[in-house]
Amino acid sequence: MRALTWQGTDKLSVETIPDPEIVNARDVIVRVTMSSVCGSDLHLLNGYVPTMKPGDVLGHEFLGEIVDVGSGVTGLSKGDRVITVSIIGCGHCEPCRRQEFSCCDNSNPNPATTETLYGYACGGIFGYSHAFGGYAGSHATYVRVPFADVNVFKVPEGISDEQALFVSDAVPTGYFGADIADIEPGDTVAVWGCGGVGQMAMRSAYLMGAERVIGIDRFPDRLALAKEKAGAEVLDYTRVNVHEALVELTGGRGPDRCIDCVGLEAHTTGVEQLYDTTKQTLRLHTERGAALRQAIRACRKGGTVSVLGVYAGVMDKFPMGAIVNKALSVRSGQQPGQRYIECIFEHIQKGELDPAYLLTHPMSLEDSPEGYAMFRDKDRECLRAVFMP
Amino acid sequence: MNDTWQDDSLVAMRSKSEEAGQLTSTERTVSILGGGLSVGLGLRRQGIGRLAYLALGSMLISRGAMGYCGLKKALAPDSYEQDMAAAHQWKRAKVTSRSVTINKPREEVFRFWKDFSNLARFMKHIERIDVIDARRSHWVASPASGQHLEWNAEITDEIENEYIAWQAEENADIHQAGWVSFHDAPQGRGTVVQAVFTYEPPAGRVGHTVARLLGKDPSSLAGDDLRRLKQLLEIGEITTNAARPGAERGGR
């Protein structure tokens, strides 16, 4: 089969590799029909996640058709049109029983790295480095999916391929971020980052009762989509002082809930950007935390900061004082999508949520290295390049 | 030693006091003199060598002056290892221990372990265990461990659904003992399995193999083995990222 492989920092190539097969009884093999890029892949491309190996297949957000089913799988059959949650749960350990699927005890076959870094091993993720399990990703003709009864969902009638694809990752990530922000009726929710996940977090915030949603970014096309599709007010951080603008927009109270959809390669302006970039380049810290710092400072007293952006290691100048003295709650996590899929499909069927507009650039898998370059450079107003193997 | 499992003081017993790192007066003198010599040698050299000698020398002098050495503490046996060596009449004992919580009823976990042939399914360095009778079993080490080793072990103590202890028979090539306890985790969170593996570190080639088998790398033995046990019991398979049967993709 053909697959997009990582060969080194900023080096991608499409290669022919052997097809996957059923290994364990609860596996299925999915023939991929659509596979999306994700902002989190850029951290792998840029070399900020050290456990990548040449030949690793990228991609974790995909739609496809089941072509083979293990002997222990119930409720799924060949020919089913399905999406797969990008973060793998086993369904039987205590975290999975508590519906915290991304904290699965059993799904990561390489537990040592995250156990050393974070104290305990984290769940496995498709195409997302050896620290997160070393699973082959979805930018390929076929994918082997373990624990299919827990991670694979049939797409209901009436939902298009373009809508279903993003229920694999971008939608549940945004939905989870809004959910853990504990939004109450009347709340103002500020979202840093108007990429795919940010757009979904904004829409989800309205579904959960937010009165106002404010999106923050610097790319005019993304700000325009946030306004038009997600119904947000928008701030361009290169044009306004974000903190002052948020204070002004909220009658001096500050946003009640702040959601960071940016992560460890944040951009800002001025001295902070220079300081963070220099230290990160010298590997003196791993995270450029401008967006998160700004969110923590802007959040109202007693409010919630929900962190969806990818962070890998340690951040410098983390404003702990603001968290303690303003009594903030900080919530975070990788998405436990299995918890939300049914509910998200319902929102889509009712017309309350439509993620299809995230797909701006359908492409052949053969052109995927070019697709990533375009997505990385935010070229040609690319929000999501999607490969069709 | 049989009631060790009943209290939860294994962590306390395996801690070491600061005294374990205290140097004797002879050691302090040797350390200070060696440090002085090293500084002297360093001062006669140039470049990197000078720096290295000076660093070593000052480290040895401060170690001697303070009368304390972190390395000595790290190498010293803990009190549980001392007890085990005495109980088995071994020269020294190495102990590795780990606990894991398995989301299954205690009876089920106990029953799985009680059938010793199952242990080879999750112990990386054991190829096969044949059950001889209710107390005795025959263990065969995996050839990947370096050298062919087989021995008989017998169960020395057992309490239904709570505790199993075993040890290698007297005449075996390796001196090894182990025990495992099974407790209910709080509020229906499954079963806490505490496993402790003890062995006498032997010398020579056999020694290397045994060390690898029984815990040269404690995390690989106790940690990875118990993680595989948890997977077998909770999800009925060993988690793998292999794309095809037998095609493991190496970890890192």
Side-chain angles (χ1 to χ4, degrees):
Chain A
M1 68 171 184
R2 299 290 280 168
L4 175 68
T5 60
W6 185 92
Q7 297 294 345
T9 300
D10 280 330
K11 262 186 265 168
L12 299 175
S13 67
V14 181
E15 304 285 339
T16 300
I17 61 169
D19 292 354
E21 295 165 21
I22 300 283
V23 179
N24 285 330
R26 290 169 64 199
D27 294 355
V28 298
I29 303 293
V30 173
R31 184 177 65 79
V32 179
T33 49
M34 285 183 163
S35 182
S36 176
V37 302
C38 173
S40 61
D41 294 334
L42 296 179
H43 311 306
L44 307 181
L45 257 64
N46 297 351
Y48 289 110
V49 179
T51 59
M52 292 294 290
K53 291 183 188 174
D56 286 349
V57 180
L58 293 172
H60 56 255
E61 182 161 36
F62 61 104
L63 172 84
E65 178 193 338
I66 294 183
V67 292
D68 202 359
V69 183
S71 59
V73 178
T74 50
L76 295 168
S77 9
K78 283 185 195 177
D80 287 346
R81 183 174 67 131
V82 294
I83 58 103
T84 303
V85 178
S86 56
I87 299 163
I88 306 166
C90 79
H92 296 282
C93 63
E94 204 214 340
C96 282
R97 293 278 190 210
R98 281 199 308 261
Q99 302 249 302
E100 292 167 2
F101 297 95
S102 58
C103 299
C104 177
D105 280 343
N106 294 319
S107 65
N108 187 343
N110 300 331
T113 310
T114 47
E115 195 164 80
T116 307
L117 267 175
Y118 308 137
Y120 303 92
C122 300
I125 305 178
F126 292 100
Y128 204 68
S129 86
H130 289 263
F132 290 94
Y135 287 96
S138 61
H139 296 331
T141 322
Y142 300 101
V143 189
R144 170 188 164 246
V145 178
F147 318 119
D149 49 316
V150 177
N151 302 301
V152 175
F153 292 81
K154 281 192 263 192
V155 179
E157 289 300 314
I159 293 179
S160 71
D161 286 356
E162 290 77 5
Q163 290 173 318
L165 167 63
F166 299 108
V167 182
S168 184
D169 189 296
V171 186
T173 302
Y175 202 82
F176 168 63
D179 188 22
I180 58 177
D182 289 329
I183 295 165
E184 290 171 9
D187 277 354
T188 297
V189 179
V191 178
W192 275 257
C194 298
V197 168
Q199 304 270 342
M200 293 301 107
M202 292 179 224
R203 193 66 225 145
S204 303
Y206 278 125
L207 289 173
M208 291 173 198
E211 181 85 11
R212 289 169 81 189
V213 175
I214 302 167
I216 300 151
D217 206 308
R218 68 178 155 145
F219 295 101
D221 52 309
R222 294 186 173 199
L223 289 168
L225 283 174
K227 200 169 182 176
E228 180 196 337
K229 302 284 189 181
E233 296 166 57
V234 295
L235 294 175
D236 178 344
Y237 68 79
T238 62
R239 288 164 177 268
V240 297
N241 178 318
V242 171
H243 187 81
E244 282 173 16
L246 287 171
V247 171
E248 199 60 36
L249 285 168
T250 54
R253 301 188 310 277
D256 304 277
R257 319 290 163 192
C258 294
I259 307 181
D260 167 11
C261 301
V262 176
L264 63 86
E265 290 182 73
H267 291 265
T268 182
T269 51
V271 179
E272 189 180 2
Q273 176 71 12
L274 182 69
Y275 173 87
D276 270 349
T277 307
T278 307
K279 285 200 79 166
Q280 193 178 39
T281 307
L282 296 172
R283 297 294 188 265
L284 290 172
H285 67 175
T286 54
E287 337 284 57
R288 297 202 310 253
L292 182 55
R293 289 190 201 108
Q294 198 169 62
I296 289 169
R297 181 154 180 265
C299 192
R300 77 146 156 90
K301 291 178 282 182
T304 310
V305 177
S306 161
V307 187
L308 297 177
V310 174
Y311 293 89
V314 290
M315 187 195 296
D316 216 14
K317 306 288 182 285
F318 185 74
M320 200 62 213
I323 294 174
V324 172
N325 294 300
K326 289 198 296 176
L328 300 184
S329 301
V330 179
R331 300 287 311 271
S332 189
Q334 300 275 10
Q335 54 112 354
Q338 294 86 342
R339 201 195 287 175
Y340 302 111
I341 301 297
E342 303 294 344
C343 168
I344 289 169
F345 278 148
E346 263 179 49
H347 283 306
I348 294 177
Q349 282 173 319
K350 287 186 196 156
E352 295 163 344
L353 179 71
D354 184 2
Y357 74 94
L358 300 185
L359 201 174
T360 51
H361 291 76
M363 308 177 82
S364 142
L365 180 65
E366 298 300 319
D367 298 330
S368 52
E370 189 199 323
Y372 265 104
M374 176 176 67
F375 176 61
R376 179 195 60 205
D377 300 337
K378 319 281 190 291
D379 192 15
R380 283 167 268 170
E381 306 198 341
C382 178
L383 195 54
R384 282 282 187 274
V386 170
F387 312 127
M388 324 256 182
Chain B
M1 89 191 223
N2 286 346
D3 53 5
T4 310
W5 63 278
Q6 283 179 338
D7 54 45
D8 286 326
S9 65
L10 191 65
V11 170
M13 291 197 64
R14 299 212 61 195
S15 65
K16 294 176 189 176
S17 68
E18 287 294 291
E19 283 167 26
Q22 298 291 326
L23 301 177
T24 64
S25 59
T26 316
E27 284 170 333
R28 292 180 69 165
T29 311
V30 169
S31 193
I32 290 172
L33 289 176
L37 181 67
S38 181
V39 168
L41 285 170
L43 289 174
R44 292 190 195 173
R45 286 169 186 256
Q46 298 295 324
I48 290 282
R50 182 187 185 109
L51 275 178
Y53 272 107
L54 289 178
L56 176 70
S58 49
M59 192 273 282
L60 286 172
I61 292 171
S62 71
R63 175 178 178 267
M66 291 192 305
Y68 178 81
C69 176
L71 186 64
K72 184 180 180 186
K73 183 183 171 188
L75 292 173
D78 60 46
S79 55
Y80 187 69
E81 286 175 327
Q82 289 169 9
D83 289 354
M84 286 296 102
H88 291 288
Q89 297 179 323
W90 294 342
K91 281 200 203 85
R92 279 187 337 117
K94 287 292 285 179
V95 172
T96 66
S97 61
R98 261 299 174 86
S99 68
V100 66
T101 304
I102 297 175
N103 200 8
K104 287 285 174 185
R106 186 153 49 96
E107 294 71 22
E108 184 180 337
V109 181
F110 178 87
R111 212 179 314 125
F112 188 86
W113 193 295
K114 180 68 211 304
D115 178 355
F116 270 52
S117 65
N118 281 331
L119 306 191
R121 293 172 65 188
F122 63 88
M123 289 183 174
K124 190 178 174 194
H125 295 298
I126 302 295
E127 177 164 277
R128 197 179 84 234
I129 299 174
D130 301 323
V131 174
I132 301 169
D133 55 37
R135 299 193 77 79
R136 292 161 67 230
S137 51
H138 182 70
W139 297 47
V140 180
S142 147
S145 305
Q147 192 171 354
H148 186 77
L149 268 181
E150 302 189 19
W151 68 93
N152 285 347
E154 67 175 335
I155 293 177
T156 52
D157 197 5
E158 179 185 323
I159 299 171
E160 179 84 9
N161 297 332
E162 289 182 28
Y163 176 74
I164 305 173
W166 67 93
Q167 68 179 56
E169 288 182 346
E170 288 273 331
N171 58 356
D173 284 343
I174 72 172
H175 294 164
Q176 192 264 330
W179 57 259
V180 57
S181 68
F182 308 86
H183 295 281
D184 290 330
Q187 296 292 321
R189 294 176 197 189
T191 302
V192 177
V193 177
Q194 168 86 61
V196 176
F197 304 87
T198 306
Y199 69 98
E200 182 179 36
R205 263 179 69 205
V206 177
H208 283 296
T209 308
V210 171
R212 199 180 304 171
L213 273 175
L214 300 175
K216 187 174 169 190
D217 176 3
S219 65
S220 87
L221 176 89
D224 291 356
D225 284 358
L226 291 188
R227 200 188 311 272
R228 277 188 290 272
L229 168 68
K230 176 179 164 80
Q231 290 173 1
L232 278 175
L233 285 165
E234 287 187 346
I235 58 178
E237 61 186 60
I238 305 272
T239 305
T240 176
N241 56 23
R244 289 166 305 288
E248 296 296 328
R249 305 178 77 233
R252 181 165 150 185

